[in-house]
Amino acid sequence: LQTRLQAGQGYGNTLNCVLTVYRNESVAGFFKGMSFPLASIAVYSSVVFGVFSNTQRLLSQLRHGDPAHAPALADVALASMVAGFISVGIGTPVDLVKIRLQMQTQPYIDANIKLKPTCPRFPVYRGPIHCFRTVLQKEGIAGIYRGMGAMLLRDVPGYCLYFTPYTLFCGWITPDGCISPNPSSIWLAGGIAGAISWGTATPMDVVKSRLQADGVYLNKYKGTLDCIMQSYQNEGLKVFFRGITVNAVRGFPMSSAMFLGYELSLKAMKRDQTETNP
């Protein structure tokens, strides 16, 4: 829904998008492009949380001489921005393949150009591997990383507004005297942080989606700035908030589960290390 609302044509609102996708493509339409992100999410999340944790430990080591020292809020913010920067290298090709698969049946509509959508029986891309290979052959490495600039502008501040609010909310929610937050505190703090991060990242998410969907038919946008200017001139400021409801609503449960899994996994591994090396 997020991609259709941001880069597609003819969807008035979220409910209209849901009904249109279901009517034209049935339930399968809601799961297009899912396989590639599903196959890579474990690696992607491991890199993001691993870079974030290790950068925090490095900063604590440099500042206090102890990697286990509680990081300052500025260190959390810096570590989260480093994680966002690194994540783009993995996330851009995955997002591009997902968006191309989701948008290949959508019509391209411009003031003077109208192209019929590809027939659903004969899609442009037969699957994620075929999509990746086709883009690589036709557009090269630059094509695979199309939208990378917009993704950097989305993820670097986006992860700062992901990990920093999580740290703050965990500190506020955790009762005094507790060494670490309980699962319910982690769940709530993670959900709020996810909603904040995805909500504020929506404008650049719109730009990224449009840039990556653009190449299905022809390259309308020359780059990030050109996409911003054309989108604003044609549709006004409101275009940059398309899909914000879907992003915020999706961000809460997704981030709650992500942080809960992360924190519980760390506790389990630390407990195993303690039992192995008493």
Side-chain angles (χ1 to χ4, degrees), residues 48-107:
V48 169
F49 280 88
V51 169
F52 172 71
S53 297
N54 284 297
T55 304
Q56 275 194 135
R57 291 173 61 85
L58 175 62
L59 292 172
S60 293
Q61 175 70 42
L62 294 173
R63 290 181 185 273
H64 309 287
D66 179 11
H69 190 279
L73 200 60
D75 292 345
V76 173
L78 180 56
S80 62
M81 287 190 286
V82 172
F85 183 84
I86 297 298
S87 72
V88 171
I90 300 173
T92 303
V94 173
D95 269 18
L96 181 127
V97 170
K98 179 194 73 172
I99 287 173
R100 291 287 177 94
L101 290 173
Q102 290 173 342
M103 296 301 296
Q104 64 178 332
T105 57
Q106 300 300 296

Side-chain angles (χ1 to χ4, degrees), residues 42-234:
V43 174
Y44 179 83
S45 299
S46 296
V47 169
V48 169
F49 280 88
V51 169
F52 172 71
S53 297
N54 284 297
T55 304
Q56 275 194 135
R57 291 173 61 85
L58 175 62
L59 292 172
S60 293
Q61 175 70 42
L62 294 173
R63 290 181 185 273
H64 309 287
D66 179 11
H69 190 279
L73 200 60
D75 292 345
V76 173
L78 180 56
S80 62
M81 287 190 286
V82 172
F85 183 84
I86 297 298
S87 72
V88 171
I90 300 173
T92 303
V94 173
D95 269 18
L96 181 127
V97 170
K98 179 194 73 172
I99 287 173
R100 291 287 177 94
L101 290 173
Q102 290 173 342
M103 296 301 296
Q104 64 178 332
T105 57
Q106 300 300 296
Y108 178 93
I109 300 177
D110 192 85
N112 301 313
I113 303 172
K114 290 187 179 181
L115 300 177
K116 293 181 179 179
T118 304
C119 176
R121 295 182 181 179
F122 301 99
V124 177
Y125 311 114
R126 295 191 295 270
I129 302 301
H130 180 254
C131 177
F132 185 90
R133 188 170 63 246
T134 301
V135 174
L136 188 61
Q137 288 173 348
K138 292 183 176 180
E139 304 174 46
I141 296 295
I144 291 296
Y145 281 92
R146 183 173 175 80
M148 185 177 180
M151 197 165 183
L152 276 170
L153 293 173
R154 184 196 73 172
D155 283 2
V156 172
Y159 275 112
C160 186
L161 292 172
Y162 187 63
F163 289 108
T164 306
Y166 170 74
T167 304
L168 287 172
F169 282 116
C170 268
W172 292 340
I173 297 171
T174 303
D176 293 336
C178 293
I179 299 174
S180 59
N182 56 48
S184 60
S185 297
I186 295 169
W187 182 87
L188 181 58
I192 294 172
I196 292 171
S197 176
W198 274 106
T200 54
T202 297
M204 290 314 303
D205 194 39
V206 171
V207 176
K208 180 198 72 71
S209 295
R210 291 188 161 210
L211 283 168
Q212 292 183 326
D214 188 37
V216 175
Y217 295 108
L218 51 84
N219 291 328
K220 178 182 177 182
Y221 305 116
K222 298 176 183 178
T224 301
L225 183 59
D226 183 53
C227 181
I228 293 171
M229 296 301 296
Q230 286 197 47
S231 298
Y232 177 73
Q233 289 170 358
N234 294 333

